[in-house]
Amino acid sequence: MFDKFSTFMDEKLSTPMAKLAEQRHLRAIRDGIIATLPLIIVSSMFMVIAFLPNSMPTDWGITQFIAANQAKILLPYRVSMYIMTLYAVFGIGYSLANSYDLDGLSGGILAELGFLLTIIPASIGAPSEAVAALAAENADLANYLATIPSGFVLPMGNLGSAGMFIGILVAFFAVEVYRFTQKSGFKISMPPQVPSSVARSFESLTPTAIVLIVVATITMFLGINVHAIVGNIVSPLIKATDTLPSVLVLIFLVTFFWSFGIHGVSIVGSLARPLWLVLLEENTTAFAAGTAVTNIAAEPFYQWFIWIGGSGATLALALLFAFRSKSAYGKALGKTSLVPSIFNINEPMIFGAPIVLNPMLIIPFIIAPMVNGIIAYLLTSAGMVNAVVASAPWTLPGPIGAFLACGNDVRAALLNVALIVLDIVIYYPFFRMYDNNLLADEQEEA
Amino acid sequence: MKVLLVCSQGMSSAIAAKALQDAAAKKGLEIEVHECSTQAFAEEIKNGYAIGMVAPQIRHRYDVLKQQADAAGIPCVLIQPQGYTPLGGAKLLAQIQNELGEIK
């Protein structure tokens, strides 16, 4: 009965849905953004360092040194995570072009060009004589003027997560133009005698010209503020992602896919990661500026308070198998899966127990992360734990990752440990039942 | 003989890779197992592998990965879920022999 039901669900629902996430544009977003993750994780750590003084005694020399140089320590973050869309757009263009069997590099460059055309450079001239005269009398004004660069500058605000959705759209547009010109023959073609490298350089002129003229016309010549328009459209979506119901829906989807043995986060993340990144980057920006951090449910929130030990909060289950199992199989499984689980790798658990298509373990596999999500969400919104502001490497053990991700908050580490204990309680009855079954099978065979 | 395992990020496949290596060593077979992420697969599979093996949790990407392996002229199989555990090395080995014939 359950077999029929699960086969039906797998064939009719989970696998087709998973295949949908393999649609080439979604795949391009996923791969483009994943390519920026090392950059986000490493530059997040600069954030952690810059804000170490918050959790160290103020009279230490190192504390005072870091505090005095905070802005400087954050500069690498400003040219990496702070402007992550600039990097993601290249990756998206590259990946989408590759999926069409077009030159990835050209696709990446075209996408980047299109994106930068939505960022209007400002020209900053030297102060007028009147301003200079005022500055001569006012030291504050003189100091302020000294900090202003002259010449052309690119405002950085929309190069980060704020520009993420424009970046995605423009990357799609640029690569689709590229594809159209290549496939339709609507391009400058050279006679066959011309060397192929020269011919290619001319072929790439047409899509470049179209992207440049179309985007520049909209953003620069007509002066339409595309960032404001798209920002208004996606902001309700971003807000919705940050609510408890949507946290629970996403948890359900991820664990639902995993219940069929499909990598849930990689599917749900294809759609949700851009939104998660916007939430995280807004928090990081606010944290760096010393203003209130308002978002709760960015990706590190899931990583450190929900997916403890991997999707389904399976560290608890690995601990149970390792220390409470009576069956020989359970003991062997616990022994081999515990260490990977500590580092949040739980495929050994999911396929080994198995959790996949195993109703006895699927129930806590879905319930435990939901309970984690509710508790962590409520505690974070009540201010009992800092909201996440950094993206710590996901293979760190839970309490350490939680501490770092929440801006050096010891309470986050404690919450992580408390949730592991709670998950053990949730998993225990189901584990007991399943382990007894294993034991009975083993005794029957013996 | 070289075998390439591919999973979402090349993390969990490292565990299966070790299990496979151990299972092969037990039988006195010489197998070199590498692992990679889905993004790296298309390039990596070109480096002289006998077979590519796709982790079960990314089976929705199997078609795409199979095409990439086909393009390189390398056979590619989807790993059975029961083989994708630290204890499943023997099953992985059996699956390879099933596909490629006995390994010397």
Side-chain angles (χ1 to χ4, degrees):
Chain A
M1 174 63 200
F2 178 76
D3 282 352
K4 265 192 191 154
F5 172 71
S6 63
T7 314
F8 174 80
M9 291 286 277
D10 191 24
E11 281 171 3
K12 298 285 181 259
L13 195 61
S14 64
T15 302
M17 275 169 79
K19 288 229 162 102
L20 208 62
E22 284 306 285
Q23 194 275 340
R24 68 174 81 236
H25 293 87
L26 290 178
R27 215 166 66 210
I29 296 178
R30 186 190 71 211
D31 291 351
I33 287 179
I34 283 180
T36 67
L37 289 184
L39 198 131
I40 289 173
I41 290 171
V42 176
S43 60
S44 269
M45 291 304 111
F46 277 86
M47 187 70 100
V48 169
I49 295 168
F51 289 91
L52 271 179
N54 292 358
S55 52
M56 291 199 309
T58 46
D59 52 349
W60 285 10
I62 179 91
T63 314
Q64 287 158 7
F65 175 80
I66 293 174
N69 290 289
Q70 202 176 54
K72 207 174 266 178
I73 294 170
L74 283 178
L75 282 178
Y77 150 80
R78 298 282 174 207
V79 295
S80 44
M81 182 177 178
Y82 186 65
I83 54 171
M84 65 187 179
T85 300
L86 190 68
Y87 298 93
V89 163
F90 186 88
I92 294 168
Y94 176 92
S95 167
L96 186 58
N98 260 345
S99 81
Y100 283 127
D101 280 326
L102 295 167
D103 180 37
L105 188 56
S106 303
I109 290 175
L110 276 172
E112 199 73 88
L113 169 73
F115 177 57
L116 284 175
L117 284 164
T118 69
I119 310 285
I120 319 291
S123 166
I124 301 186
S128 68
E129 267 178 42
V131 174
L134 278 175
E137 289 162 22
N138 185 327
D140 274 355
L141 183 59
N143 287 338
Y144 173 68
L145 286 178
T147 65
I148 295 180
S150 60
F152 281 100
V153 299
L154 215 49
M156 292 167 87
N158 287 328
L159 293 177
S161 65
M164 177 65 80
F165 291 90
I166 279 286
I168 291 170
L169 292 176
V170 174
F172 287 174
F173 171 71
V175 175
E176 292 301 333
V177 166
Y178 180 29
R179 181 173 76 110
F180 172 74
T181 55
Q182 294 297 304
K183 302 274 145 102
S184 69
F186 182 72
K187 61 186 175 193
I188 303 171
S189 297
M190 290 285 130
Q193 299 86 336
V194 176
S196 66
S197 55
V198 176
R200 244 196 335 269
S201 73
F202 277 99
E203 281 171 8
S204 66
L205 292 182
T206 328
T208 307
I210 296 175
V211 169
L212 199 144
I213 291 168
V214 170
V215 183
T217 302
I218 295 171
T219 59
M220 294 173 171
F221 308 143
L222 296 178
I224 297 171
N225 187 346
V226 287
H227 285 278
I229 295 170
V230 172
N232 283 336
I233 296 170
V234 289
S235 83
L237 194 61
I238 293 167
K239 282 215 176 67
T241 311
D242 201 33
T243 61
L244 184 55
S246 98
V247 169
L248 294 178
V249 168
L250 292 181
I251 292 174
F252 176 77
L253 285 174
V254 168
T255 48
F256 171 79
F257 279 117
W258 269 121
S259 303
F260 292 95
I262 296 176
H263 198 304
V265 174
S266 103
I267 291 171
V268 172
S270 296
L271 293 168
R273 191 159 287 120
L275 299 161
W276 285 336
L277 272 176
V278 173
L279 290 174
L280 178 64
E281 211 257 359
E282 283 176 3
N283 276 6
T284 312
T285 306
F287 190 63
T291 54
V293 174
T294 51
N295 300 329
I296 294 171
E299 193 169 9
F301 173 79
Y302 291 82
Q303 182 60 54
W304 303 114
F305 298 127
I306 297 170
W307 309 137
I308 306 171
S311 301
T314 53
L315 177 58
L317 185 60
L319 286 165
L320 286 171
F321 270 116
F323 298 112
R324 280 285 170 271
S325 185
K326 290 178 188 151
S327 65
Y329 182 78
K331 278 180 197 150
L333 179 73
K335 222 189 288 168
T336 47
S337 336
L338 183 58
V339 173
S341 290
I342 291 172
F343 299 100
N344 303 307
I345 295 169
N346 68 343
E347 279 87 347
M349 205 72 235
I350 289 181
F351 292 106
I355 293 168
V356 176
L357 301 182
N358 179 349
M360 247 181 268
L361 293 180
I362 285 175
I363 297 170
F365 182 77
I366 294 177
I367 290 177
M370 291 237 180
V371 172
N372 287 359
I374 293 170
I375 293 174
Y377 191 95
L378 295 178
L379 288 179
T380 311
S381 53
M384 311 267 284
V385 175
N386 284 355
V388 291
V389 293
S391 178
W394 65 265
T395 44
L396 280 176
I400 301 172
F403 172 79
L404 294 175
C406 293
N408 311 324
D409 186 357
V410 180
R411 296 170 304 175
L414 294 177
L415 174 59
N416 180 283
V417 173
L419 291 174
I420 295 170
V421 174
L422 180 64
D423 294 337
I424 290 177
V425 174
I426 295 173
Y427 267 106
Y428 186 77
F430 300 94
F431 156 79
R432 189 75 283 159
M433 203 169 19
Y434 183 61
D435 191 52
N436 286 344
N437 278 6
L438 288 176
L439 190 64
D441 287 350
E442 282 170 10
Q443 282 162 351
E444 216 166 276
E445 277 170 33
Chain B
M1 187 181 82
K2 276 168 78 185
V3 175
L4 181 61
L5 300 188
V6 51
C7 73
S8 183
Q9 297 188 40
M11 292 278 185
S12 66
S13 49
I15 294 166
K18 179 154 187 316
L20 174 57
Q21 206 119 42
D22 292 349
K26 227 178 248 172
K27 291 199 169 178
L29 300 171
E30 266 186 46
I31 295 190
E32 199 183 325
V33 191
H34 293 259
E35 61 278 340
C36 74
S37 70
T38 43
Q39 285 85 11
F41 184 74
E43 281 306 310
E44 184 64 28
I45 192 70
K46 293 173 188 161
N47 299 332
Y49 289 96
I51 188 168
M53 303 187 86
V54 180
Q57 73 273 27
I58 53 166
R59 65 171 181 272
H60 53 287
R61 280 183 214 156
Y62 177 65
D63 294 348
V64 174
L65 296 168
K66 177 99 170 66
Q67 278 171 15
Q68 293 171 350
D70 285 349
I74 309 293
C76 184
V77 296
L78 184 60
I79 297 173
Q80 295 308 310
Q82 303 80 6
Y84 200 68
T85 79
L87 311 171
K91 285 191 175 116
L92 282 181
L93 193 60
Q95 209 181 350
I96 294 175
Q97 293 188 323
N98 219 357
E99 186 70 22
L100 302 180
E102 280 302 310
I103 306 164
K104 277 147 253 138

